[in-house]
Amino acid sequence: MKDRVEIIARTERRRKFSDAEKAAILAEADADGVSVRQVAERREIAESLIYNWRSARRQAAAIASEALEFIPYGAIITTGPAAAPAVPETQKAPRPVSSPMPSAPEELDRPHPGARPGAIDIDLPSGVRLSVDSYVNEKALARVLRAFRDVS
């Protein structure tokens, strides 16, 4: 039993730990012969915080070790540039002179203005063209390609 009594006069703000501090605390907790409870008491933090950091570290390691997967969609035919579907002149509507919403500059249209690193254009058999770059989420792209495959 401890003879220590704490009187909390005010509530402290939530502390922020840098990545280096988290790594040091986790290394301390991972050492042989040391329990999480001991480290938590020594650092005056909750045990659950150390367990949460450990869990986040395991999840990050699992994601980093996960191999990128190629998603086969179909055959690639390189006969020439894909032609856009022809639109009859009668269907082309003139652009209104004054629109309620001003058109956004190009920098606001894309999340990454300028050159798109790793840009890939995917021409699907349905005539749809997908344009992605190195910032694309692989799992989201896989869902989109599966949806197009299921529709066609």
Side-chain angles (χ1 to χ4, degrees), residues 73 75 82-85 122-130 144-145 147-152:
Y73 184 76
I122 304 168
D123 293 320
L124 301 176
S126 62
V128 173
R129 172 178 277 185
L130 292 175
V144 169
L145 289 174
F148 276 113
R149 182 189 62 212
D150 294 342
V151 169
S152 57

Side-chain angles (χ1 to χ4, degrees), residues 49-136:
L49 189 58
I50 297 174
Y51 286 115
N52 289 342
W53 290 345
R54 276 184 174 173
S55 175
R57 180 178 60 185
R58 275 192 306 272
Q59 288 175 349
I63 290 170
S65 67
E66 196 174 285
L68 295 178
E69 183 179 333
F70 177 74
I71 304 160
Y73 184 76
I76 298 174
I77 302 171
T78 57
T79 58
V87 177
E89 289 295 324
T90 57
Q91 289 184 356
K92 290 183 181 177
R95 187 171 189 165
V97 176
S98 62
S99 65
M101 294 289 291
S103 63
E106 183 181 344
E107 290 82 27
L108 298 178
D109 290 342
R110 290 190 306 220
H112 307 287
R116 294 174 41 203
I120 300 171
D121 289 331
I122 304 168
D123 293 320
L124 301 176
S126 62
V128 173
R129 172 178 277 185
L130 292 175
S131 296
V132 297
D133 56 25
S134 61
Y135 298 105
V136 69

